[in-house]
Amino acid sequence: HWRNRVWAGAIERFRVELRKANPEVVVLANTQYLRSSPELATDLQYAHEDAVLSESRGMGLDAMVDKLLLGKALARDRPLWNYLGTFRKDDFRRLVSVERVSMNVSTAFACGARPWVVYYGFFEEPRANAAALERMAATLRWHNRNETQGRALRPYAPVRSLVSLASRNCRATPPIPAHLTMLRKQGVFVQLVEERALTDGGLDGCRVLLIENAPCLSGRSIAAIGAFVEAGGVAIAAPETALYD
């Protein structure tokens, strides 16, 4: 927690000083928010950034969607940018397959994130990378043409799933619950809500709250969940929920 506070303070001080030089400067950091352990100490940085960014490489479709849903929950009212792993892990000069390039770009747009395209493979190996570059450009053009209409839509998600960073930090539980992908394949779209948002509009429009990886919950969170149920909401919780304060 000390490291979380130090990093948050450093980001804010950095932002204040940069704004003195240029009020329009945008401050963000590669927070790697999917990290399974708390060693990077990013929990408190999000409120001090102008956008949330993380690097996504070597991920399949379902894992990418789950990660971006987590990013949206942490970013809340801030833009979410997804640093796209369009290049190979073993050779930065080569791009991944045409299909994976399309998935990287389209998934970012579909989840309400912005694609951060890194220029690895743009000029190296021109013949080998030509098809992937053409597909990347075509996919970006399609989304840009349809951006106004697409961004005007809001997902209808009366089902939310709780993210407890304290549980990740103290009990090493995964930040993303296992039920997300399974429910999505059954036609139930679930958005994530981070614990600190429970008392700040995070349950607005929610009808069902799922709690799987949250053995550590604060008293405020418990009160918010109780109020949600008393108001007619449904909470479905795993047996180990809130075993620890």
Side-chain angles (χ1 to χ4, degrees):
H1 187 61
W2 174 80
R3 292 189 67 197
N4 274 316
R5 289 189 287 112
V6 169
W7 270 116
I11 289 285
E12 183 59 31
R13 182 172 180 180
F14 194 59
R15 182 165 68 165
V16 168
E17 294 300 321
L18 283 173
R19 292 274 168 79
K20 292 178 182 177
N22 181 357
E24 296 182 352
V25 73
V26 174
V27 176
L28 56 131
N30 188 352
T31 52
Q32 299 187 37
Y33 51 77
L34 188 58
R35 195 88 164 192
S36 58
S37 59
E39 65 207 12
L40 296 181
T42 58
D43 293 2
L44 302 180
Q45 287 187 37
Y46 309 117
H48 301 277
E49 296 180 307
D50 301 307
V52 172
L53 168 72
S54 184
E55 178 180 353
S56 300
R57 296 179 58 195
M59 305 180 74
L61 175 62
D62 287 318
M64 184 76 82
V65 172
D66 287 350
K67 177 182 179 179
L68 293 180
L69 290 176
L70 174 61
K72 291 291 286 183
L74 298 175
R76 299 192 65 188
D77 58 341
R78 291 167 173 77
L80 176 67
W81 286 81
N82 195 35
Y83 174 115
L84 298 179
T86 53
F87 47 92
R88 295 186 184 180
K89 285 185 174 183
D90 58 342
D91 186 355
F92 286 8
R93 300 170 302 171
R94 297 288 301 275
L95 297 178
V96 295
S97 68
V98 169
E99 293 77 17
R100 186 166 290 274
V101 163
S102 291
M103 184 275 290
N104 272 318
V105 175
S106 291
T107 305
F109 279 104
C111 293
R114 308 295 291 176
W116 180 301
V117 182
V118 184
Y119 282 77
Y120 288 130
F122 274 56
F123 303 105
E124 306 88 350
E125 306 287 347
R127 293 182 61 183
N129 292 329
L133 281 172
E134 290 172 3
R135 178 65 66 87
M136 189 188 308
T139 307
L140 284 165
R141 278 196 300 268
W142 187 91
H143 283 288
N144 284 331
R145 281 197 306 267
N146 295 277
E147 179 180 9
T148 302
Q149 178 182 358
R151 289 177 65 81
L153 299 176
R154 294 291 181 268
Y156 173 67
V159 181
R160 311 276 166 84
S161 184
L162 182 62
V163 173
S164 171
L165 296 180
S167 297
R168 188 272 312 271
N169 296 348
C170 299
R171 303 297 300 175
T173 57
I176 294 179
H179 59 252
L180 276 192
T181 298
M182 179 186 67
L183 289 177
R184 195 163 58 244
K185 291 182 181 299
Q186 298 295 323
V188 180
F189 179 71
V190 181
Q191 282 187 313
L192 293 174
V193 55
E194 201 264 318
E195 183 180 350
R196 283 169 291 191
L198 288 176
T199 57
D200 189 23
L203 294 178
D204 292 350
C206 178
R207 294 171 56 192
V208 179
L209 177 64
L210 307 176
I211 311 172
E212 181 177 359
N213 297 339
C216 304
L217 289 177
S218 70
R220 288 185 64 190
S221 299
I222 296 296
I225 295 169
F228 167 74
V229 173
E230 289 174 355
V234 175
I236 302 175
E240 68 273 12
T241 297
L243 285 179
Y244 306 87
D245 62 20

